Amino acid sequence: MTTLAAAPPKSAGSLRWVLSDSWTVARRDLVHWVRNPTVIFSGLAFPIMFVMLYGYVFGSAMVVPGGGDYREFLMPGMFAQSMMFGAAATISVVAADRARGVTERFRSMPMAQSAVVIGRSTADMVNSLLELAVLVGCGLLVGWSANTGFLPTLAAVGLLLLLRFAMIWVGIFLGLIVSPEAAGATWALLFPLTMISNTFVSPSQMPTWLGTVAEWNPLSATVAATRQLFGNAVPELVGESWAAQNALLLAVAWPVLIVAVFLPLAVRRYNSVSR
């Protein structure tokens, strides 16, 4: 006797069905992450290494105008840089799933089609929370501190996670396009975006044309805004351009724009992807 596959429930389009399937996919991604300690170690060790390298090796030669502490100036930039670098991990995992046929398998199952990309973004946000917590702990050990109250600090963390959320959708879209081999080269694309910014030095200390590019970098907006909210901003390093003076606005506007562009692109690409 042949057993027929159960038909999708009538509530297949309901929010509950989407959330249930999304959590199933997210839990699967988190379990894979936990069972691979090498990925956990490398993912957490990389930002810590950057903190030590720039905070102590390069930072020992850095002088902040106005006499500010360089590590306090640096750490918000490291937090934001880590959130942006997370896109590389998203690209690699999504590309690997597509190459192994996992994505096609999900598409053939009676599940909400949006659950795969939503689940992937949920798992990445959980990973990002852990990574950010480790980085904050590392920052406290090297002398960084948040000098404002609870609410501004919470707002700064929210902006960092908003940037990461935006980069997740960039990562999902690119991961559905590139091969696993090409995904490993995405670091080369992310480095210019993170280096031509206000992460390590102020754009005012760069050549004029490069400083302009750095000021309008989405990463620079998040870094400048979180410095203000953490109480780590150095007034002498705040530029006079519109972008520098409206960092808080841009720190929200840039991620929202990125999500508005790449979320529908990622969903559309997922619905049409084939091995």
Side-chain angles (χ1 to χ4, degrees), residues 184-236:
T186 54
W187 293 99
L189 298 177
L190 290 172
F191 258 105
L193 289 174
T194 57
M195 294 301 175
I196 305 176
S197 68
N198 59 359
T199 301
F200 304 106
V201 297
S202 170
S204 63
Q205 297 172 291
M206 302 177 185
T208 303
W209 67 271
L210 191 61
T212 301
V213 173
E215 285 181 332
W216 284 95
N217 186 335
L219 178 63
S220 293
T222 299
V223 173
T226 52
R227 281 189 182 129
Q228 294 176 27
L229 292 169
F230 282 135
N232 303 142
V234 180
E236 288 80 357

Side-chain angles (χ1 to χ4, degrees), residues 169 173 176 259-272:
W169 293 103
F173 174 66
L176 291 171
V259 171
V261 172
F262 282 95
L263 190 154
L265 286 177
V267 173
R268 182 181 301 177
R269 177 59 184 171
Y270 169 75
N271 288 332
S272 62

Side-chain angles (χ1 to χ4, degrees), residues 57-93:
V57 179
F58 298 150
S60 60
M62 294 288 191
V63 177
V64 179
D69 183 84
Y70 182 69
R71 293 191 190 100
E72 286 213 345
F73 173 82
L74 173 69
M75 287 310 302
M78 298 305 300
F79 299 153
Q81 184 190 60
S82 178
M83 295 298 98
M84 180 166 278
F85 269 141
T90 302
I91 295 171
S92 297
V93 173

